Amino acid sequence: MDKIVVKGGRKLKGAVKIGGAKNAVLPIMTACLLTRGVSVVTNVPGLRDVVTMKSVLERLGVVGSLDDHTLTIDTSGLSGFEAPYDLVSTMRASIYVLGPLLAACGKAKVSLPGGCAWGPRPVDLHIRAMQELGATIEIDHGYIVAEAKGLKGRPIKFSIPSVGATANTVMAASLAEGTTRIINAAKEPEITALAEFINSMGGRVRGAGTDTVVVEGVKELHPAKFRTIPDRIEAGTYLIAGAITGGKIEIEDACPEHLEALILNLRQAGVGVECSGSVISVRGKRDIASVDVLTSPFPGFPTDLQAQYMTLMTVARGNCVISETVFKDRFTHVPELRRMGADIKIEGNTAHVGYVKRLSGAPVMATDLRASAALVLAGLIAEGETHISRVYHIDRGYEGIEQKLGALGAQIERVPE
Ligand code: EPZ
């Protein structure tokens, strides 16, 4: 097991390229199950989660290869319909095979994902949507066992605009008989990208990016080529890295429209942010102001940037209130930031972040993907060295983070634990 060691105090300078979006590629990979043949997806990030999803598909008889950020997926030999516990337990997104397998094969057996570091993460909305499309589902020995003799389109209303449930429903409805109208759908850019991929396969998905998505089922889809959108969470993390170190960096191959909520907060905090095309320039400064935030579904402030933003607010003048409304217990990074001298009090789903002049380096432990990114950011400004263990979490969502930060002037390295 490796750990990452960061020596704080350097202002970051230069340019960094953003990779493709993990949370767009994962459902796009499973959407390939909706057809037979070879699909090609480019701008794919080299991440552990992408490799895990490729393994899930290979268990179904699919042949996949990832070469220099290009993914080739051949579903001609699709024969299986089970996503096993050993894979699903390492990556919840494996549940994205449920909708496509039901639509394309009429059956699916998918291990229940179980909880995560922040508590229970149910999949009841996924299951209910499949049942509303006509599938029979039972939970058997920890597996979702689903069958359908052809899915039928109909209106489906979500109580929560769940990203995952929206993705599964859009994929299943693409081959259903008739029209499915998804009300209170998720509006995340990753859903829009998925819809664009399905439409490039000959699908009929309209309204993606709004809270009402209409899917007209078609008889069959064909393989396609598709370029993945930039990863807005990776871009946001580097934006905060530039702001927190008082540096000046260019974030390239990004999509500023996907980061409006973060950019607004950074500007209010006194950070210089300029956007031109796919380049976002950030000019941090030592003395920034605290700005409250409330996480919410897109286009609100993303929960996946909450931990990183909290790190920034630990050294911002004033008291900052951070309300986490998407995953109410998503504060596993707080005890580790406190170990580094941060002043944070938790009340329910709200964190009260006080100002400290400087954090101090310490041995800390990553608990999940975004928490580990927040600890790396804290290490960039802390006095002395920060040793972050369990960094396998970070490899799930950040490709070559120590190389990218190193190229911007950070003192960071990965060493065996
Ligand atoms: C996706 O998770 C992302 N994962 C998460 O990013 C992200 O935090 C989340 O959306 C919110 O933006 C991927 O795209 C692979 P949800 P997902 O369904 O689909 C509740 C990262 O760091 N809910 O939108 O699982 C749920 O408990 C990851 O890259 C139900 O109650 O999120 C939560 O409170 C972490 N029942 C809320 O809805 C359900 O059936 C939103 O969850 C489904 C969800």
Side-chain angles (χ1 to χ4, degrees):
M1 269 230 277
D2 291 348
K3 66 178 176 181
I4 285 181
V5 178
V6 191
K7 194 161 183 336
R10 288 272 184 85
K11 285 187 179 186
L12 300 188
K13 283 194 194 63
V16 58
K17 272 192 187 322
I18 296 304
K22 165 180 82 78
N23 292 346
V25 163
L26 297 177
I28 285 171
M29 290 173 75
T30 58
C32 295
L33 298 170
L34 294 166
T35 183
R36 292 283 183 281
V38 180
S39 293
V40 177
V41 185
T42 56
N43 195 29
V44 171
L47 301 173
R48 209 150 58 81
D49 276 11
V50 171
V51 174
T52 304
M53 188 62 93
K54 192 162 80 63
S55 308
V56 171
L57 296 179
E58 283 161 355
R59 295 283 182 93
L60 302 172
V62 170
V63 177
S65 67
L66 179 58
D67 178 25
D68 187 20
H69 302 101
T70 295
L71 195 56
T72 305
I73 294 188
D74 182 354
T75 55
S76 317
L78 174 63
S79 52
F81 57 90
E82 180 170 336
Y85 176 74
D86 64 313
L87 289 172
V88 178
S89 57
T90 66
M91 184 184 69
R92 304 174 48 75
S94 311
I95 195 158
Y96 284 151
V97 299
L98 179 64
L101 283 176
L102 264 177
C105 313
K107 57 184 170 183
K109 184 177 177 189
V110 182
S111 169
L112 274 170
C116 82
W118 329 311
R121 290 184 60 189
V123 291
D124 55 317
L125 298 175
H126 299 241
I127 291 171
R128 198 168 318 126
M130 296 306 119
Q131 289 170 324
E132 291 185 39
L133 290 174
T136 55
I137 294 190
E138 62 177 62
I139 305 301
D140 179 38
H141 294 87
Y143 278 79
I144 301 165
V145 180
E147 278 202 26
K149 295 189 180 43
L151 299 173
K152 289 202 177 22
R154 51 161 299 166
I156 291 178
K157 188 163 190 312
F158 285 137
S159 53
I160 301 168
S162 155
V163 175
T166 301
N168 247 326
T169 308
V170 166
M171 291 188 278
S174 300
L175 288 176
E177 187 193 318
T179 301
T180 301
R181 186 182 200 72
I182 306 171
I183 300 143
N184 196 25
K187 297 186 270 198
E188 271 67 6
E190 294 77 26
I191 295 291
T192 306
L194 174 65
E196 283 166 8
F197 176 62
I198 292 172
N199 288 345
S200 71
M201 298 163 83
R204 295 204 189 122
V205 184
R206 285 177 284 119
T210 75
D211 57 15
T212 304
V213 177
V214 178
V215 186
E216 228 180 292
V218 296
K219 287 248 169 316
E220 93 181 329
L221 294 167
H222 55 74
K225 287 191 171 43
F226 190 78
R227 181 178 170 78
T228 317
I229 58 171
D231 194 311
R232 61 193 169 102
I233 306 301
E234 185 192 22
T237 303
Y238 283 101
L239 253 173
I240 295 171
I244 204 169
T245 59
K248 185 175 178 321
I249 64 175
E250 273 76 47
I251 293 149
E252 298 172 345
D253 295 353
C255 181
E257 296 74 47
H258 293 168
L259 285 159
E260 284 174 2
L262 173 66
I263 292 171
L264 181 68
N265 272 52
L266 291 179
R267 285 178 173 153
Q268 285 173 351
V271 176
V273 182
E274 295 309 323
C275 304
S276 140
S278 64
V279 177
I280 308 174
S281 310
V282 56
R283 176 190 290 278
K285 62 178 195 147
R286 279 270 171 252
D287 210 6
I288 60 171
S290 73
V291 179
D292 296 351
V293 76
L294 178 140
T295 67
S296 61
F298 190 86
F301 191 97
T303 173
D304 292 347
L305 285 173
Q306 179 255 101
Q308 300 93 316
Y309 184 79
M310 184 185 286
T311 302
L312 178 67
M313 290 296 113
T314 61
V315 290
R317 290 202 178 280
N319 292 311
C320 175
V321 177
I322 297 181
S323 306
E324 174 54 69
T325 72
V326 179
F327 296 107
K328 299 203 171 25
D329 305 318
R330 194 176 191 172
F331 290 130
T332 48
H333 42 285
V334 170
E336 300 307 299
L337 288 174
R338 284 193 191 125
R339 290 174 50 72
M340 298 179 74
D343 168 11
I344 307 168
K345 295 179 191 59
I346 301 292
E347 280 171 18
N349 70 324
T350 300
H352 299 271
V353 184
Y355 165 69
V356 296
K357 204 158 179 329
R358 187 159 192 205
L359 297 177
S360 47
V364 291
M365 193 183 299
T367 48
D368 62 77
L369 167 57
R370 307 305 172 184
S372 40
L375 297 175
V376 168
L377 294 176
L380 292 175
I381 56 163
E383 185 263 321
E385 284 192 355
T386 300
H387 292 235
I388 305 161
S389 58
R390 298 191 181 177
V391 289
Y392 53 83
H393 286 294
I394 218 163
D395 297 332
R396 297 188 58 180
Y398 295 89
E399 183 176 357
I401 191 164
E402 66 269 25
Q403 286 84 9
K404 287 189 178 183
L405 286 171
L408 294 170
Q411 293 174 50
I412 180 169
E413 60 176 337
R414 180 182 297 239
V415 296
E417 180 86 78

